[in-house]
Amino acid sequence: MAAARLGRLPRLTLFSGPDCSLCDIAKAELARVRQHRPFQLDTVNIQDPGQEKWKKKYVYWIPALHLEGKEIAKGRWDAQTILPALDSWHKDNKDNKPEE
């Protein structure tokens, strides 16, 4: 896959919680995007111990999504919300690919 040669992949963090139907939809949207645009994905359950900061911030706004630590979406969103942010990340990081 050509994208694998690009070096570092963008890192997305999904903030979710239990029994969250919007979170299930968000995970499906991320899986759709990932078929065409590879990325690293970390998932944070805001209800887990140690996640109080994120629970306070997103208790009413999950699912929330960060790209490289910056919020790009919260609440109801889909692939069309994510793609421009990934496009921008790739544009900004095109010179960071390893030499072949």
Side-chain angles (χ1 to χ4, degrees):
M1 179 185 300
R5 293 193 312 253
L6 293 178
R8 190 169 82 84
L9 295 175
R11 183 179 51 88
L12 294 175
T13 304
L14 175 66
F15 296 89
S16 67
D19 302 319
C20 171
S21 59
L22 284 179
C23 298
D24 295 337
I25 293 168
K27 290 172 187 173
E29 290 294 309
L30 287 168
R32 280 186 36 208
V33 170
R34 201 178 219 173
Q35 291 175 356
H36 307 286
R37 308 266 177 83
F39 54 82
Q40 295 177 337
L41 179 63
D42 298 320
T43 303
V44 174
N45 180 339
I46 66 167
Q47 300 294 337
D48 283 348
Q51 301 302 332
E52 290 79 13
K53 169 186 173 184
W54 300 118
K55 181 178 181 179
K56 184 176 180 181
K57 182 169 183 161
Y58 291 126
V59 68
Y60 299 112
W61 289 105
I62 57 173
L65 190 66
H66 286 194
L67 172 59
E68 297 294 336
K70 180 181 176 188
E71 181 183 289
I72 60 170
K74 66 181 179 181
R76 186 180 300 271
W77 48 267
D78 61 16
Q80 297 307 312
T81 306
I82 305 163
L83 291 170
L86 286 173
D87 288 343
S88 178
W89 184 91
H90 283 290
K91 182 181 175 188
D92 292 346
N93 291 279
K94 69 181 179 181
D95 295 328
N96 291 340
K97 60 183 172 182
E99 295 182 24
E100 297 182 35

